[in-house]
Amino acid sequence: MIRAKNKRPNILLVYTGGTIGMVKNAETGALCPFDFENILSNIPEINMIDCTLHSYSFPCLLDSSNINPENWTQIASVIEEKYDQYDGFVVLHGTDTMAYTTSALSFMFSGLEKPVIFTGSQLPIGHLRTDAKENLITAIELASLTEADSMPVVREVCLYFQHELYRGNRSTKVNAEQFSAFASPNCPALAHSGVHLSINKELLRQPAMSEFALSTSLSSDVLLLHIYPGMNQEMIKYLLDYPKLKGVILLTYGAGNAPSNEDFIDLLKQKIDQDIPIVNITQCLKGTVSQGDYAVSEGLAKIGVISGRDMTKEAALTKMMYLLPRVKTVNEFRKMFEKDLRGEISAIIRE
Ligand code: ASP
């Protein structure tokens, strides 16, 4: 167990929106984003945390279903701008797309040496049984933890929810109504909050080898294609023929299996021949793609579909968006995509 050191760390709390700060619209009963003061006034305990806390609220608060890559850039830019002034960052964000944002930011930042911890809640902070208080207080405590040499314990983009600290690019939303809304199916939690904060030290990212930098060029011309029985071939062709298409994430069955009919495989091959990378990610929550284990995935491997192994769909999609502007050919893309850039993929290659 590691304790925060005597020096009070400076933490910046960034509010983007989400259920945590929402209130009910009196007429419709629907939850809508509300102002930041609402959060702080509902949680006076925040002043007891051993850190100096400042806050920044986005002028236009968002339900995270409306978040897009431009908003990722805005959030990341606030952190970049204030990077030298603060020891850690806690970002309040809606749960619906939180795992996409944490995955995207993990790739957009390189050389990150400070904690960037996202959290939110399933019930608004003004609700009697809210989960917001514990999530927020512990996220701030985790962002404040330092080593004996005053360096931060956590040096990466994480997601804290319901007692677990997960790597941001390993997380996915799994529950729409339980407080434990997130899971990290292929990577254990980095920390657990119980009576003590226990840190899984060997899993944490090591000090970065490069200077901190933010890269904001992302490609949105990507398609996430969920395979299902009875999928209409003509419709798939129509989608894949979109003239600006730059990359495809194929969400396949089990260990990376998909229909093996010639028309479908030919369609995919045509795209790969046009230097449009296609990545294979499993629809299963846990486990890895292993192309070639079954005859129905051999064809995919043969035409050059790239195995996304045990990446989440959120990590695979945002990694693709991040890499596409940096490469010219499918081969260059493959080399970069297969590398572990930010802890998003397990080391053991089982193929
Ligand atoms: N729709 C909300 C959002 O993602 C849900 C939440 O915050 O839990 O902003």
Side-chain angles (χ1 to χ4, degrees):
M1 196 192 89
I2 300 158
R3 292 230 172 91
K5 277 204 46 158
N6 294 339
K7 179 193 160 256
R8 280 167 75 90
N10 286 326
I11 303 295
L12 183 67
L13 184 58
V14 180
Y15 179 42
T16 71
T19 294
I20 192 161
M22 289 188 185
V23 290
K24 270 198 178 157
N25 177 306
E27 276 168 34
T28 65
L31 286 168
C32 312
F34 197 55
D35 74 276
F36 192 54
E37 290 311 314
N38 178 47
I39 296 192
L40 297 182
S41 64
N42 269 288
I43 185 164
E45 301 92 326
I46 218 165
N47 297 313
M48 292 163 68
I49 306 175
D50 191 17
C51 70
T52 306
L53 195 67
H54 294 139
S55 57
Y56 173 85
S57 175
F58 275 89
C60 176
L61 298 172
L62 291 170
D63 185 301
S64 77
S65 301
N66 282 322
I67 276 193
N68 58 39
E70 214 174 292
N71 303 123
W72 297 340
T73 295
Q74 287 165 351
I75 300 169
S77 299
V78 169
I79 294 168
E80 186 205 24
E81 226 171 84
K82 313 265 182 196
Y83 191 76
D84 292 334
Q85 282 163 258
Y86 290 92
D87 300 299
F89 301 85
V90 172
V91 184
L92 297 177
H93 190 290
T95 59
D96 288 343
T97 64
M98 195 187 292
Y100 288 93
T101 304
T102 54
S103 298
L105 264 62
S106 78
F107 298 116
M108 292 164 74
F109 289 136
S110 52
L112 187 62
E113 285 283 7
K114 296 183 179 182
V116 176
I117 301 181
F118 279 69
T119 194
S121 66
Q122 292 281 63
L123 279 177
I125 199 140
H127 196 288
L128 196 58
R129 290 189 307 104
T130 187
D131 52 329
K133 290 188 184 185
E134 198 284 322
N135 286 348
L136 178 51
I137 289 171
T138 308
I140 296 172
E141 285 203 328
L142 285 163
S144 305
L145 291 178
T146 49
E147 299 279 13
D149 60 2
S150 297
M151 292 305 286
V153 170
V154 177
R155 309 152 182 262
E156 56 186 296
V157 180
C158 293
L159 188 157
Y160 179 77
F161 222 87
Q162 192 63 8
H163 308 300
E164 308 291 345
L165 181 74
Y166 296 128
R167 175 159 297 144
N169 56 31
R170 293 296 200 134
S171 322
T172 189
K173 186 170 178 183
V174 291
N175 205 310
E177 57 186 19
Q178 300 289 322
F179 285 151
S180 46
F182 288 89
S184 170
N186 289 321
C187 177
L190 305 181
H192 175 79
S193 152
V195 173
H196 304 290
L197 287 181
S198 46
I199 313 291
N200 220 338
K201 274 207 96 175
E202 67 285 2
L203 288 177
L204 294 174
R205 302 281 294 161
Q206 294 306 306
M209 302 305 246
S210 58
E211 287 282 296
F212 173 70
L214 167 65
S215 160
T216 56
S217 97
L218 299 167
S219 172
S220 292
D221 298 321
V222 293
L223 176 67
L224 189 63
L225 186 60
H226 193 115
I227 300 293
Y228 54 94
M231 129 190 117
N232 178 324
Q233 199 79 17
E234 266 178 58
M235 193 166 63
I236 304 292
K237 181 168 165 29
Y238 184 82
L239 288 171
L240 293 180
D241 281 344
Y242 173 63
K244 287 193 197 152
L245 186 72
K246 300 252 167 45
V248 181
I249 306 285
L250 213 54
L251 285 178
T252 59
Y253 307 126
N257 306 318
S260 56
N261 67 77
E262 227 172 90
D263 289 351
F264 180 59
I265 298 291
D266 277 353
L267 201 55
L268 299 180
K269 183 171 181 316
Q270 274 172 33
K271 296 298 139 189
I272 296 170
D273 290 346
Q274 291 164 18
D275 271 321
I276 295 173
I278 300 183
V279 169
N280 187 346
I281 293 290
T282 175
Q283 292 171 17
C284 294
L285 191 57
K286 211 169 158 53
T288 185
V289 163
S290 183
Q291 294 187 142
D293 276 8
Y294 289 85
V296 282
S297 65
E298 271 177 337
L300 299 176
K302 215 183 260 173
I303 61 167
V305 170
I306 300 162
S307 169
R309 288 161 42 200
D310 66 348
M311 264 184 260
T312 60
K313 62 179 182 313
E314 293 89 341
L317 183 79
T318 54
K319 189 175 182 178
M320 177 175 266
M321 288 172 146
Y322 168 77
L323 288 179
L324 282 172
R326 290 164 179 79
V327 298
K328 288 209 171 66
T329 64
V330 161
N331 279 339
E332 280 173 36
F333 179 89
R334 173 194 296 279
K335 264 191 213 143
M336 295 295 290
F337 195 88
E338 286 177 345
K339 271 192 199 159
D340 174 15
L341 301 181
R342 310 279 192 266
E344 73 280 6
I345 190 164
S346 298
I348 305 153
I349 303 172
R350 292 167 51 200
E351 286 175 57

